[in-house]
Amino acid sequence: MWLAPEEVLVANALWVTERANPFFVLQRRRGHGKGGGLTGLLVGTLDVVLDSSARVAPYRILHQTQDSQVYWTVACGSSRKEITKHWEWLENNLLQTLSIFDSEEDITTFVKGKIHGIIAEENKNLQPQGDEDPGKFKEAELKMRKQFGMPEGEKLVNYYSCSFWKGRVPRQGWLYLTVNHLCFYSFLLGKEVSLVVQWVDVTRLEKNATLLFPESIRVDTRDQELFFSMFLNIGETFKLMEQLANLAMRQLLDSEGFLEDKALPRPIRPHKNISALKRDLDARAKNECYRATFRLPKDERLDGHTGCTLWTPFNKLHIPGQMFISNNYICFASKEEDACRLIIPLREVTIVEKADSSSVLPSPLSISTKSKMTFLFANLKDRDFLVQRISDFLQKTPSKQLAGNTGGTKAGGVVDPAPESLPAPQEAPEPPTSPPSPLSCPPSFSTQEVPTTSQGLLKVFQKNSPMEDLGAKGAKEKMKEESWSIHFFEYGRGMCMYRTAKTRELVLKGIPESLRGELWLLFSGAWNEMVTHPGYYAELVEKSMGKYSLATEEIERDLHRSMPEHPAFQNELGIAALRRVLTAYAFRNPTIGYCQAMNIVTSVLLLYGSEEEAFWLLVALCERMLPDYYNTRVVGALVDQGIFEELTRDILPRLSEKMQELGVISSISLSWFLTLFLSVMPFESAVVIVDCFFYEGIKVILQVALAVLDANMDQLLDCSDEGEAMTVLGRYLDNVVNKQSISPPIPHLHALLTSGDDPPAEVDIFDLLKVSYEKFSSLRADDIEQMRFKQRLKVIQSLEDTAKRSVVRAIPGDIGFSIEELEDLYMVFKAKHLASQYWGGSRSAAIHRDPSLPYLEQYRIDASQFRELFASLTPWACGSHTPVLAGRMFRLLDQNKDSLINFKEFVTGMSGMYHGDLTEKLKALYKLHLPPALIPEEAESALEATHYFTEDSPSEEALPQERQEGSGSEDIQERREEKGTSPPDYRHYLRIWAKEKEAQKETIKDLPKMNQEQFIELCKTLYNMFSEDPMEQDLYHAIATVASLLLRIGEVGKKFSARTAKKPRNGAHGGDHSSATEEDEPPLPKPHQDPTQECQPPAAGDPQAKASGDTHLGKALQDGRVIAEGGGGEGQGSPSLLLSDDETKDDMSMSSYSVVSTGSLQCEDLTDDTVLVGGEACSPTAAATSRSGGTVDTDWCISFEQILASILTESVLVNFFEKRVDIGLKIKDQKKVERQFSTSSDQEPPGVLS
């Protein structure tokens, strides 16, 4: 690359001059390339340890003038090829021009100007791509690509100096963190260490300190443990490694999410030595933390944050903290965790003004909202800039929000059908303008519309008896309402409420039933999404109703299992509302669709809110508060279950050991987390936990779970089996009561567990919550996130291992590979699929993976990926012919014609080449030279070949050798083609698998005969296959002998069958026809049968007919004719006579060797020589397509048995095909070169990976 000219005072220190002219010098770094001795070793070591840029660029070009001692760098290169290109450009374009100048200063000025111009031009071309990484970082990226053989698509995120512990010896070097890989390189005194680890293979990543490894980072994969230490900033490095590993886990979990994550936003301006990706990942981490802290929508982006103080009127204090500003919100969080938290939506803001500064209140900023609240911030460092940013966002808000506000009445129609009936200080017709207003009095609703659209089901089905009639419970409820009213008065109501320790205390004491829906919406952040998406739910309901999918089928099945004991769901009104909400969500988020337990949670949400409110609460739960809980593999719940086990180990070690022994934690906790205790506790008790959950998040669920185990510790330690432990916990949870509930008690299904013995003592839910906070409140949100990351690695890798085992189990036992080989092959196959996500932008078909599909169908590869795998794994290396053979193998394996193959199909193809006896291997090779593996396009004129096919024939042309699979093949074909486009039908998979399990013994007699053109292709493949074998000459001679023999057999067979069958059209394949018709049920009509069995071979051979009339064939063509005719004449009487005639075989072998071996070099010659063996065209069409009067021998054919018998006569061929090849070595090599296909120069191969 061209470099901005920089002065070099000592040009020859550590450099060797390789080329020179009067104005330029090309130099190579000592220690690079061959030789170099001790000096080279020392220089190489210094370059790695000190990160000298020369290590990045081992070549450079300097500009010099004759009398000057100063040199200027003008270019550097990572390979000789690159630097030579620059050198040649300088010689061709600058040398003559420079010789004209008189002054050396002018020469130097001109050269510098020219180089700057070239760099400016290059940068101009690069600008649209946003290539803004600074020079030093760019050099490090070049080094990484060259050293590890990474393609252009692999982006470096950052690099760090550190030590890798190899045994007990630290190796100082450089750690490169890329989007998909962790790489390390060290070169010390001739010892080289090179590591490449894919993030998707990482099973454990943690920061730890031991005596052996002080403050190190540990990275585990399935087969190795790596330790890195001596970082300058270990915290920053570990955080970045976590983020990258997380991205990789997202990719394994859900490829679409990963692809979205990869589209990182561009930075505004570059910083020194930090990549754009690094900055974007940091910004992403801050965004995620910001959204999680304040429960904001997923598309909210943090713009910036600053230190300030907030005046809190309730305690007359200035609280220090941080102000956060994003495109739609201003938020505040105090330094003390519980002191104060505030969220101000910009849609609510009416005035932002700078108040007068004073010594008591420096740089104050006042923000007023529509709900008549004013917030006073002070001690702002850059107040003017802050006000400008807020005003910019406010200007953008009205365009969106005006529609929201003018549509406020319309929006209000969905949120609340009768806003005018609310007791608000505004005039009656005016719609509500802030969140508190429509929520200020939830009990007052209009009932003109369907009740479920306007209010919670609890209000519809619960008889409204006055509070006085409820006695002590009613009085308690009234006190709660009064407490909240006072709180609203002091702290505000709605989104802009000050959230303090007092708020948490009130939540812990229980939210009154009348306010539950409102506060759930506020605390979860669902309210924000609801008011900014007016009409969205109604639109979704309209779109999703009447649509059938797997999700809707499961929803229908579970509707009547959702809280069947509650009166609201014992009639069609509640059931219909639940159906609409669940279906609308499945339609909104097809990745999740529907998962069991969602019905239970949603039914509770519907009791306290309208349908739309319940929908947005469900969105907040599934997409933000309980991430990945409700996908097909409940990963999120398994992750939190792992955290629960880890906490149990740390806090209750004795009990943990016992629970592990009984294996009970995994059984019990999944339902606790998935349903937030709603399925295991009486409803009125569990709903109090849900109150706390919406305020505090998952922390509460973990605390309560620990408190439950702690309360039952003694009984659990005495349990002897899992069933007994589950009974103990079940009975305990069933007796957790809410004595303050004003709802009539609802019978709980778990009551069955209390039958028999004396029921255990009742436990008050508020006491349980109090104990959980007293004993286990040390849990912090950021600690939980840290543990989640650690567990996510374990859970996803464990699921991947399960998937691998399931796929390997699905492979039939007769495949021939061992379990270990199959697992290795699966990892290579999966890596190839994942590579399309890393770098294969155009391979959209292979990229999109549907996790809801069966494991076997989740990872699939396309033809180009298969070609790469085939080339590195096949035992039949055919040189330049290998891609052609791979293409045929792919078409043979791709039975459903969707241009993708799964692992089972891939292994079937590999097994055909590796396992079985000579017959099986030859059978696999034979099939590769018949349709559908061999296609007419592989010959010269595909266009002419199409004359032989009817329009329907491609679909009717299933694998000829697999026609015995049964009738209805067309129907199966159609269904297989639908598989890629419609929602997965699991019954369809079961039918296919059942069919596959039926005994299908394919004998060699079932294989169709091979025509002449197909036979020539087979010979060509064999010649290519033998080209690199040690026994090459013997194999060539043997195959020439066999080919000559088979040509004569075909001739004899043709004339023999022509004599027995009077009709020349059907003579050649008479036997084949009858067998084919017997096998097909129902038999295909005759007009279709003939083209597929009879006219298709000449179609494949037709291009040779075109070539046959060429005038340049010369003597070789005549020789070919003589052989064919002579062979036919000698063996006319009996084919068996020909087989035993050794003398004839020997006479003919040399001439046939010359014919066929020339053909192996050039396909046209080979086919011209051998295709004209006499015979008649199959139809007038064939005659018409032959251009120069030549004809195609359509009646010539050969069977598999004849080929097999002929090959068995040559021991060298038998040995070649029966030779065992170890696929393990090929897999190992494939893993090593997986990434090295892009940038390595020819002269300098990349470093060896260990």
Side-chain angles (χ1 to χ4, degrees):
M1 60 190 267
W2 297 104
L3 298 175
E6 282 184 20
E7 204 172 300
V8 178
L9 292 174
V10 186
N12 293 317
L14 309 180
W15 290 87
V16 180
T17 299
E18 294 207 333
R19 296 168 82 171
N21 62 39
F23 302 105
F24 298 102
V25 181
L26 189 156
Q27 296 185 325
R28 173 176 57 82
R29 183 76 162 173
R30 287 184 192 276
H32 185 81
K34 293 179 181 176
L38 182 60
T39 314
L41 280 180
L42 289 170
V43 173
T45 300
L46 280 172
D47 285 342
V48 172
V49 175
L50 303 177
D51 189 37
S52 161
S53 59
R55 180 72 185 171
V56 179
Y59 297 96
R60 71 179 182 183
I61 297 174
L62 302 181
H63 163 63
Q64 56 148 10
T65 50
Q66 288 178 348
D67 298 331
S68 171
Q69 295 302 311
V70 177
Y71 291 78
W72 300 85
T73 54
V74 293
C76 68
S78 58
S79 67
R80 191 180 295 277
K81 189 175 172 185
E82 182 186 354
I83 206 71
T84 306
K85 187 178 164 192
H86 289 331
W87 178 262
E88 286 170 358
W89 187 91
L90 290 169
E91 284 192 326
N92 296 335
N93 295 282
L94 285 192
L95 277 190
Q96 281 187 327
T97 312
L98 295 178
S99 59
I100 299 167
F101 288 95
D102 295 330
S103 161
E104 291 190 351
E105 285 183 15
D106 291 347
I107 291 174
T108 303
T109 307
F110 178 80
V111 169
K112 286 163 74 174
K114 192 69 182 169
I115 299 299
H116 278 299
I118 294 169
I119 292 169
E121 191 63 31
E122 281 183 350
N123 287 344
K124 184 178 163 189
N125 296 336
L126 286 171
Q127 259 179 352
Q129 300 170 18
D131 199 345
E132 300 170 12
D133 287 352
K136 188 166 166 87
F137 186 84
K138 205 71 191 156
E139 286 180 0
E141 188 163 52
L142 280 172
K143 179 203 284 188
M144 177 274 296
R145 290 221 184 103
K146 180 181 177 301
Q147 189 60 56
F148 303 103
M150 296 288 178
E152 284 290 329
E154 185 68 351
K155 298 291 185 191
L156 179 65
V157 181
N158 212 351
Y159 61 106
Y160 301 94
S161 170
C162 69
S163 289
F164 163 64
W165 290 79
K166 194 168 173 110
R168 291 179 176 241
V169 181
R171 299 294 177 89
Q172 183 65 26
W174 289 86
L175 181 72
Y176 299 90
L177 304 180
T178 75
V179 173
N180 303 303
H181 298 89
L182 174 152
C183 309
F184 177 83
Y185 182 76
S186 169
F187 180 83
L188 288 173
L189 300 175
K191 297 258 182 166
E192 187 179 62
V193 177
S194 185
L195 287 170
V196 177
V197 175
Q198 290 190 57
W199 289 117
V200 288
D201 291 336
V202 173
T203 56
R204 181 175 179 181
L205 180 63
E206 62 185 26
K207 191 166 56 172
N208 53 19
T210 62
L211 286 171
L212 187 59
F213 304 119
E215 206 178 24
S216 61
I217 293 175
R218 174 178 176 171
V219 182
D220 287 8
T221 63
R222 286 178 178 82
D223 47 12
Q224 57 184 341
E225 293 177 7
L226 310 172
F227 290 89
F228 300 93
S229 64
M230 299 187 198
F231 291 92
L232 286 173
N233 186 343
I234 194 168
E236 180 199 324
T237 312
F238 183 69
K239 188 179 172 189
L240 181 57
M241 290 168 87
E242 269 191 336
Q243 285 177 295
L244 292 167
N246 242 330
L247 281 179
M249 291 307 108
R250 293 295 323 164
Q251 173 201 14
L252 288 176
L253 184 61
D254 169 18
S255 56
E256 286 179 25
F258 176 77
L259 293 171
E260 283 164 20
D261 277 353
K262 250 170 63 172
L264 297 166
R266 282 279 155 205
I268 299 163
R269 57 182 182 274
H271 296 276
K272 192 179 176 186
N273 295 340
I274 299 179
S275 75
L277 279 171
K278 170 76 168 69
R279 288 193 303 278
D280 291 330
L281 284 167
D282 288 345
R284 183 186 302 273
K286 284 182 180 175
N287 279 328
E288 285 171 1
C289 182
Y290 170 63
R291 289 194 295 262
T293 304
F294 298 104
R295 307 273 167 81
L296 299 176
K298 288 182 86 172
D299 55 355
E300 200 60 27
R301 298 279 178 272
L302 178 64
D303 186 67
H305 57 93
T306 181
C308 67
T309 58
L310 171 66
W311 170 253
T312 49
F314 50 86
N315 58 3
K316 308 290 187 291
L317 288 174
H318 289 284
I319 296 180
Q322 289 269 326
M323 176 196 273
F324 300 86
I325 297 172
S326 58
N327 35 351
N328 295 300
Y329 298 88
I330 298 170
C331 302
F332 174 85
S334 58
K335 281 185 180 174
E336 285 181 46
E337 196 176 351
D338 285 339
C340 183
R341 193 169 284 176
L342 180 66
I343 302 165
I344 309 170
L346 290 180
R347 62 178 182 268
E348 294 296 311
V349 173
T350 52
I351 302 167
V352 178
E353 59 183 346
K354 293 184 271 191
D356 294 333
S357 287
S358 67
S359 56
V360 181
L361 208 61
S363 306
L365 180 70
S366 168
I367 299 175
S368 302
T369 66
K370 294 171 184 171
S371 53
K372 307 290 185 284
M373 290 178 77
T374 302
F375 303 97
L376 189 63
F377 298 93
N379 291 289
L380 291 159
K381 287 173 187 169
D382 198 346
R383 184 175 60 163
D384 295 342
F385 176 73
L386 196 67
V387 171
Q388 184 58 47
R389 292 302 291 158
I390 294 172
S391 68
D392 288 347
F393 286 130
L394 281 170
Q395 281 170 3
K396 292 175 192 171
T397 309
S399 57
K400 273 192 285 183
Q401 204 50 42
L402 209 52
N405 275 342
T406 50
T409 17
K410 294 175 191 171
V414 183
V415 179
D416 189 344
E420 63 275 7
S421 67
L422 295 170
Q426 299 126 342
E427 294 176 22
E430 193 172 319
T433 55
S434 67
S437 301
L439 287 172
S440 56
C441 194
S444 160
F445 284 97
S446 160
T447 52
Q448 292 169 356
E449 297 184 28
V450 183
T452 49
T453 56
S454 61
Q455 61 184 40
L457 292 173
L458 207 60
K459 298 187 181 72
V460 178
F461 290 94
Q462 190 172 306
K463 293 171 184 174
N464 287 326
S465 47
M467 288 285 184
E468 292 75 24
D469 296 354
L470 293 168
K473 285 185 180 178
K476 188 76 175 171
E477 188 75 4
K478 202 146 184 69
M479 280 171 61
K480 283 185 192 174
E481 287 179 6
E482 203 61 47
S483 301
W484 278 99
S485 297
I486 295 165
H487 186 271
F488 290 148
F489 179 75
E490 285 184 18
Y491 296 85
R493 185 168 190 171
M495 270 329 287
C496 300
M497 180 200 313
Y498 292 99
R499 300 164 196 223
T500 65
K502 175 76 175 162
T503 317
R504 178 198 278 165
E505 280 174 32
L506 283 176
V507 171
L508 278 172
K509 287 176 181 172
I511 297 175
E513 303 246 321
S514 57
L515 293 173
R516 190 163 268 142
E518 171 189 347
L519 292 174
W520 282 3
L521 282 167
L522 290 180
F523 296 149
S524 66
W527 176 259
N528 286 321
E529 290 185 282
M530 190 166 80
V531 295
T532 51
H533 295 83
Y536 176 81
Y537 172 71
E539 194 183 312
L540 265 185
V541 169
E542 197 178 326
K543 281 183 188 171
S544 61
M545 275 302 156
K547 297 274 173 68
Y548 174 81
S549 68
L550 191 64
T552 55
E553 187 183 322
E554 290 179 353
I555 288 168
E556 286 301 321
R557 193 179 61 223
D558 283 353
L559 282 175
H560 294 278
R561 303 177 190 169
S562 311
M563 295 189 67
E565 63 274 19
H566 198 287
F569 298 100
Q570 290 168 356
N571 61 76
E572 192 48 40
L573 188 67
I575 294 292
L578 186 58
R579 179 187 292 115
R580 282 193 290 273
V581 173
L582 290 172
T583 309
Y585 186 76
F587 197 76
R588 166 192 164 89
N589 190 344
T591 311
I592 290 177
Y594 170 77
C595 171
Q596 281 188 329
M598 280 170 76
N599 58 323
I600 294 170
V601 174
T602 309
S603 55
V604 173
L605 301 178
L606 275 167
L607 291 175
Y608 294 100
S610 68
E611 264 181 49
E612 187 179 24
E613 290 166 352
F615 170 78
W616 285 111
L617 281 167
L618 185 63
V619 168
L621 272 176
C622 295
E623 295 173 16
R624 288 187 284 111
M625 298 188 74
L626 296 174
D628 304 322
Y629 258 59
Y630 299 107
N631 59 23
T632 46
R633 299 189 280 181
V634 295
V635 171
L638 291 171
V639 167
D640 285 349
Q641 180 180 293
I643 293 175
F644 178 50
E645 289 186 32
E646 192 179 332
L647 290 170
T648 310
R649 259 196 314 276
D650 294 345
I651 299 169
L652 307 167
R654 273 180 67 220
L655 185 58
S656 169
E657 207 174 300
K658 180 71 175 179
M659 298 292 267
Q660 289 295 335
E661 185 190 312
L662 297 176
V664 79
I665 285 194
S666 52
S667 311
I668 53 165
S669 54
L670 202 58
S671 60
W672 296 1
F673 291 110
L674 277 171
T675 64
L676 306 176
F677 286 98
L678 287 162
S679 63
V680 294
M681 262 189 204
F683 163 70
E684 57 274 12
S685 305
V687 87
V688 178
I689 295 177
V690 177
D691 291 343
C692 299
F693 167 75
F694 276 121
Y695 188 77
E696 294 264 44
I698 193 64
K699 168 187 169 178
V700 175
I701 307 297
L702 290 166
Q703 284 178 187
V704 171
L706 287 168
V708 169
L709 289 188
D710 187 48
N712 292 279
M713 188 186 291
D714 294 337
Q715 285 177 277
L716 288 170
L717 287 171
D718 293 338
C719 290
S720 55
D721 58 36
E722 183 186 4
E724 193 180 342
M726 290 183 73
T727 305
V728 167
L729 291 168
R731 292 179 67 186
Y732 176 85
L733 289 168
D734 196 53
N735 283 277
V736 175
V737 296
N738 180 358
K739 295 175 180 172
Q740 300 174 13
S741 172
I742 57 166
S743 305
I746 296 160
H748 190 234
L749 294 180
H750 275 240
L752 295 170
L753 293 169
T754 60
S755 58
D757 303 335
D758 297 330
E762 288 184 345
V763 180
D764 192 277
I765 182 63
F766 294 103
D767 293 340
L768 181 62
L769 274 172
K770 188 180 174 188
V771 168
S772 77
Y773 271 88
E774 283 172 357
K775 285 192 173 182
F776 310 111
S777 62
S778 57
L779 282 177
R780 293 168 53 84
D782 49 353
D783 293 338
I784 290 173
E785 278 310 308
Q786 184 70 38
M787 286 193 279
R788 268 183 171 168
F789 163 73
K790 189 175 161 187
Q791 293 298 330
R792 195 177 292 121
L793 283 179
K794 279 187 192 170
V795 167
I796 292 180
Q797 295 295 11
S798 139
L799 288 170
E800 287 296 306
D801 288 343
T802 304
K804 178 172 71 177
R805 285 193 295 272
S806 301
V807 169
V808 168
R809 273 202 301 269
I811 306 300
D814 58 358
I815 244 21
F817 290 116
S818 68
I819 296 291
E820 290 76 19
E821 287 172 338
L822 282 172
E823 288 184 350
D824 286 344
L825 277 171
Y826 177 79
M827 296 310 287
V828 169
F829 184 85
K830 178 175 143 188
K832 186 58 71 178
H833 169 93
L834 294 176
S836 68
Q837 293 183 320
Y838 299 162
W839 309 311
S842 60
R843 298 170 178 169
S844 55
I847 283 174
H848 292 299
R849 164 176 153 250
D850 183 357
S852 63
L853 287 172
Y855 286 133
L856 196 59
E857 294 291 327
Q858 284 185 21
Y859 293 114
R860 296 184 292 170
I861 58 173
D862 61 19
S864 62
Q865 293 168 313
F866 177 78
R867 268 197 296 275
E868 291 163 13
L869 277 181
F870 183 88
S872 57
L873 296 178
T874 179
W876 296 343
C878 299
S880 59
H881 191 63
T882 305
V884 178
L885 201 63
R888 290 175 191 166
M889 176 71 85
F890 185 84
R891 287 188 290 277
L892 184 69
L893 297 175
D894 182 24
Q895 294 180 27
N896 61 357
K897 303 290 181 281
D898 63 353
S899 300
L900 294 170
I901 61 167
N902 63 28
F903 179 67
K904 185 176 179 182
E905 292 163 338
F906 170 72
V907 168
T908 305
M910 286 289 119
S911 177
M913 296 184 287
Y914 274 97
H915 298 292
D917 54 15
L918 171 76
T919 309
E920 291 300 314
K921 289 179 181 176
L922 281 178
K923 194 196 294 183
L925 193 60
Y926 185 82
K927 286 179 186 177
L928 291 179
H929 297 83
L930 294 172
L934 188 76
I935 53 171
E937 285 79 354
E938 287 186 343
E940 280 184 330
S941 174
L943 185 65
E944 291 173 2
T946 57
H947 289 297
Y948 292 97
F949 293 93
T950 64
E951 280 188 15
D952 297 333
S953 63
S955 62
E956 290 167 3
E957 174 187 289
L959 283 170
Q961 66 272 23
E962 291 180 12
R963 292 209 164 192
Q964 72 275 19
E965 281 187 12
S967 61
S969 60
E970 289 176 27
D971 181 44
I972 289 171
Q973 180 68 23
E974 284 169 22
R975 288 190 182 184
R976 284 179 176 170
E977 284 171 0
E978 284 170 14
K979 183 180 75 178
T981 52
S982 58
D985 180 357
Y986 294 99
R987 288 170 298 186
H988 165 59
Y989 286 113
L990 289 171
R991 279 197 294 272
I992 288 177
W993 290 338
K995 202 165 193 57
E996 284 172 355
K997 285 186 178 178
E998 290 173 11
Q1000 293 177 6
K1001 293 291 180 188
E1002 182 184 61
T1003 65
I1004 55 176
K1005 290 184 180 178
D1006 297 325
L1007 294 171
K1009 293 189 176 180
M1010 182 176 272
N1011 74 8
Q1012 200 170 64
E1013 199 271 344
Q1014 292 161 351
F1015 174 68
I1016 298 306
E1017 283 293 329
L1018 175 61
C1019 290
K1020 184 179 174 186
T1021 300
L1022 287 167
Y1023 269 84
N1024 281 296
M1025 197 185 288
F1026 301 150
S1027 63
E1028 296 174 11
D1029 196 274
M1031 304 285 291
E1032 184 178 353
Q1033 288 304 315
D1034 294 344
L1035 287 164
Y1036 278 157
H1037 189 84
I1039 197 61
T1041 307
V1042 167
S1044 167
L1045 183 64
L1046 287 166
L1047 281 169
R1048 289 151 64 190
I1049 290 173
E1051 280 300 303
V1052 171
K1054 181 183 74 173
K1055 294 188 178 180
F1056 180 75
S1057 58
R1059 188 178 296 171
T1060 55
K1062 298 296 180 188
K1063 296 178 184 176
R1065 179 176 177 78
N1066 293 335
H1069 292 274
D1072 196 31
H1073 266 236
S1074 60
S1075 64
T1077 330
E1078 282 168 23
E1079 283 160 12
D1080 281 343
E1081 296 176 14
L1084 293 171
K1086 201 79 173 180
H1088 287 304
Q1089 184 68 25
D1090 284 347
T1092 52
Q1093 291 287 334
E1094 180 72 29
C1095 288
Q1096 185 182 326
D1102 179 52
Q1104 319 310 335
K1106 179 197 82 168
S1108 66
D1110 292 347
T1111 55
H1112 68 277
L1113 299 177
K1115 189 170 181 302
L1117 176 60
Q1118 292 168 11
D1119 289 348
R1121 240 181 233 166
V1122 168
I1123 292 164
E1125 287 169 7
E1130 281 173 20
Q1132 217 167 6
S1134 152
S1136 59
L1137 180 68
L1138 175 68
L1139 280 168
S1140 59
D1141 195 350
D1142 292 332
E1143 190 179 333
T1144 310
K1145 183 180 82 172
D1146 290 339
D1147 289 341
M1148 303 315 305
S1149 63
M1150 272 318 291
S1151 57
S1152 60
Y1153 177 77
S1154 61
V1155 173
V1156 186
S1157 62
T1158 50
S1160 70
L1161 301 174
Q1162 195 172 2
C1163 182
E1164 288 82 9
D1165 296 345
L1166 175 64
T1167 47
D1168 289 344
D1169 290 350
T1170 51
V1171 78
L1172 296 171
V1173 287
E1176 298 165 14
C1178 119
S1179 69
T1181 328
T1185 53
S1186 104
R1187 292 187 180 171
S1188 309
T1191 56
V1192 179
D1193 188 347
T1194 58
D1195 292 334
W1196 189 99
C1197 66
I1198 198 98
S1199 70
F1200 176 71
E1201 295 102 309
Q1202 290 166 329
I1203 291 176
L1204 177 62
S1206 304
I1207 285 178
L1208 285 169
T1209 63
E1210 295 289 340
S1211 60
V1212 67
L1213 290 175
V1214 173
N1215 293 341
F1216 176 84
F1217 281 105
E1218 290 194 336
K1219 183 172 60 183
R1220 299 281 299 174
V1221 182
D1222 184 7
I1223 197 171
L1225 295 172
K1226 288 186 175 287
I1227 292 172
K1228 209 171 182 179
D1229 293 341
Q1230 158 65 19
K1231 285 179 179 175
K1232 279 188 180 181
V1233 300
E1234 181 67 43
R1235 292 164 300 277
Q1236 301 181 7
F1237 56 80
S1238 167
T1239 56
S1240 309
S1241 66
D1242 295 334
Q1243 294 89 341
E1244 293 152 13
V1248 180
L1249 297 179
S1250 55

